[in-house]
Amino acid sequence: MQELRDIGFLEVGVWMLGSGGLKFELSVPVGESCPALYAFTFEEQLLYLGKTRRPLRQRLYGYQRPGESQRTNMRIHELLNAHLQGGGAAAIIALLPSVPLRIGRFALDIASGLEDDLIGQLNPPWNVAGSSAHRSTPVQTENQRTPKSVPKREIERSGRTTAELKPHFLVKLGKTYYNQGFFNVPVDYSRYFPRDGMQIRVILGSSGTHLSATVNRRANKGTDAPRIMAGARFADWVKNTFRLGEHMRVTVESKTEIRVARA
């Protein structure tokens, strides 16, 4: 994002998927500078922008290993996981003030002053204050192994649709997913899918057209995360619906049914 670089943002690291899951690597020392602004980008597309009053390394670790009660951390963790499933890395850029600015004896918080306007003007898709396209569902507990219906009063109170309150994740359509007729489910969503070898129904977009797919829990060794094997017909639908590199939204309708659509 050239606009962010023009005001002092520098690339400081990357997000990637390793053998142990989501992790970040910093390429330059970030020290204890705070408050600071940071952003996640991919191929010059701004995905998320945030502010921290803690050292940047500590803030990033919150996304890498979120606690169950940390909804924002869990939401961004899930989005990063889904985004990186197709391969590659997401850049971490940051604005780290080295000398605190002051007006008289009062400290001037540049990070707080810039954050709202940057989000408002640049509209990062993963910021709740920006586009609503990628808002996450509430945190599900372990005993909620199948999505439950949401009371109408809860929907009205939240301002979201029923679909937005169901568990969902994004799949980046890299070359493999785009051509081969399968995709992996992020580990955090594994509990919503049945055991290895079971059949599920895949609804294609809003048309109601559907096909059968097989759950393969042997492909991703060490995690037991499902791989959804949907076959050639699904691959053809993906190619006719998306461009290479776009994101597909997967919504868990029930234990044996998912809906795939444009993000």
Side-chain angles (χ1 to χ4, degrees):
M1 280 295 300
Q2 191 57 47
E3 285 182 287
L4 294 181
R5 293 191 183 95
D6 288 344
I7 62 172
F9 277 76
L10 299 173
E11 185 165 332
V12 297
V14 294
W15 285 106
M16 63 185 70
L17 288 181
S19 58
L22 181 68
K23 67 176 183 178
F24 67 90
E25 288 187 358
L26 296 177
S27 55
V28 299
V30 295
E32 302 295 312
S33 298
C34 53
L37 288 170
Y38 59 92
F40 307 149
T41 70
F42 184 80
E43 295 179 351
E44 293 301 296
Q45 177 192 3
L46 176 63
L47 300 176
Y48 182 72
L49 189 144
K51 179 190 71 178
T52 179
R53 293 187 175 279
R54 293 179 287 160
L56 181 60
R57 183 183 294 275
Q58 291 182 19
R59 184 68 192 95
L60 296 176
Y61 188 79
Y63 297 125
Q64 179 176 314
R65 294 286 183 268
E68 291 186 1
S69 63
Q70 298 172 324
R71 294 195 173 190
T72 297
N73 287 0
M74 291 191 72
R75 181 172 67 85
I76 301 303
H77 176 92
E78 292 163 2
L79 287 166
L80 282 166
N81 253 319
H83 184 82
L84 297 175
Q85 286 290 334
I92 303 167
I93 61 175
L95 179 63
L96 302 168
S98 56
V99 179
L101 297 179
R102 293 184 175 276
I103 298 179
R105 64 187 180 90
F106 301 103
L108 180 60
D109 187 345
I110 294 295
S112 294
L114 282 173
E115 182 189 25
D116 287 346
D117 198 42
L118 286 175
I119 291 173
Q121 292 200 48
L122 300 180
N123 196 28
W126 293 359
N127 283 81
V128 172
S131 168
S132 63
H134 301 302
R135 292 184 185 179
S136 182
T137 62
V139 178
Q140 302 291 314
T141 60
E142 282 295 326
N143 61 358
Q144 290 176 301
R145 296 200 175 270
T146 56
K148 298 181 178 180
S149 60
V150 181
K152 181 179 179 181
R153 62 180 178 275
E154 183 177 336
I155 296 172
E156 293 172 346
R157 191 163 54 241
S158 70
R160 301 183 186 182
T161 66
T162 303
E164 288 177 313
L165 287 167
K166 292 177 180 177
H168 62 269
F169 54 90
L170 299 180
V171 173
K172 186 187 177 194
L173 295 168
K175 290 182 179 179
T176 300
Y177 290 168
Y178 192 73
N179 293 303
Q180 299 299 320
F182 74 86
F183 60 89
N184 291 330
V185 174
V187 174
D188 291 344
Y189 290 84
S190 179
R191 65 184 183 272
Y192 296 117
F193 290 79
R195 65 180 183 275
D196 180 63
M198 294 291 290
Q199 295 285 303
I200 63 171
R201 183 162 73 162
V202 181
I203 304 172
L204 305 177
S206 59
S207 65
T209 303
H210 64 272
L211 51 82
S212 294
T214 302
V215 175
N216 181 349
R217 288 185 177 268
R218 295 166 293 164
N220 297 308
K221 295 180 180 179
T223 66
D224 193 42
R227 175 171 291 179
I228 306 304
M229 311 296 295
R233 184 180 165 201
F234 177 72
D236 290 341
W237 178 80
V238 167
K239 292 175 186 177
N240 290 329
T241 307
F242 301 91
R243 293 193 300 269
L244 183 65
E246 288 189 322
H247 288 83
M248 177 176 69
R249 178 188 175 106
V250 180
T251 301
V252 181
E253 300 286 348
S254 73
K255 192 76 170 181
T256 57
E257 184 177 84
I258 60 174
R259 183 183 300 275
V260 293
R262 297 187 69 85

